[in-house]
Amino acid sequence: MNVVMANQPNLLAYLKRELEFEFSNGPVDLRRVRNYVSSPRLFDFYAKGIELPGMIEAGDTYLDRRTMLADRSQKTFALSYADWVQHQPRVEVVGNFAARDSSIMNIQVWPYAPAELDEFQMAIAVALAYTKRELDAESRISSAIDDVISAYGFFTDEF
């Protein structure tokens, strides 16, 4: 068994092959995918609103666009580590801010360019970028992830 990243070409076919037995019994628990695909989130930080090349919606913001999940005031975006290194001097990282301050954004740094992922790869990457602590703190996130990945034959009952 190899652990791959979400940008693995033909990721869905890879998972269906690796989890063939599980798929033969119906939808597969997304927790099993954590054994085959790594989280893309290297680190994250809050920053004063800035648009950077290669930055796309991730986390709650991604899920909010596709489900009934209500996003927080701080939108979440992902960008590649290479883009982060290139643009870091332009970014104003912040530590403290008001809960409703929508000028602040959460930026996740991933090892690859999130904009290059197909829809399935992005759905898996977003799902796996959540930590157990984040999922435990807000049960609606698991439900929103389930809404996005159920079309691919996965479920998140205890994700």
Side-chain angles (χ1 to χ4, degrees):
M1 168 179 66
N2 294 329
V3 175
V4 300
M5 293 192 292
N7 68 341
Q8 169 80 20
N10 304 307
L11 180 62
L12 182 56
Y14 167 77
L15 289 172
K16 288 196 176 221
R17 187 174 55 254
E18 293 295 320
L19 298 166
E20 183 178 5
F21 175 77
E22 290 86 346
F23 274 109
S24 71
N25 292 311
V28 174
D29 190 332
L30 194 62
R31 289 180 302 173
R32 301 276 295 142
V33 174
R34 288 192 188 273
N35 296 322
Y36 296 89
V37 183
S38 63
S39 169
R41 190 164 149 189
L42 300 174
F43 59 94
D44 64 296
F45 57 90
Y46 287 95
K48 198 76 166 156
I50 184 171
E51 287 191 34
L52 300 173
M55 191 168 75
I56 67 167
E57 292 178 344
D60 291 358
T61 305
Y62 170 91
L63 292 173
D64 180 55
R65 288 248 190 239
R66 290 156 179 81
T67 69
M68 298 295 288
L69 182 70
D71 199 0
R72 300 175 297 162
S73 296
Q74 293 78 36
K75 303 299 182 200
T76 303
F77 296 90
L79 79 156
S80 73
Y81 181 76
D83 286 337
W84 164 244
V85 169
Q86 181 179 0
H87 300 292
Q88 182 179 5
R90 296 181 33 215
V91 177
E92 181 185 345
V93 176
V94 296
N96 297 317
F97 53 88
R100 296 194 182 272
D101 187 347
S102 60
S103 71
I104 304 298
M105 60 179 56
N106 178 248
I107 300 176
Q108 297 180 358
V109 178
W110 293 6
Y112 44 77
E116 294 175 3
L117 301 179
D118 65 31
E119 191 62 30
F120 175 71
Q121 291 170 318
M122 188 64 184
I124 292 297
V126 166
L128 296 178
Y130 281 100
T131 64
K132 178 83 168 114
R133 182 176 55 109
E134 290 168 327
L135 294 169
D136 288 346
E138 181 54 73
S139 62
R140 295 176 310 125
I141 295 170
S142 287
S143 295
I145 292 169
D146 190 71
D147 289 347
V148 171
I149 56 97
S150 62
Y152 300 105
F154 297 93
F155 68 91
T156 62
D157 284 355
E158 296 181 32
F159 185 61

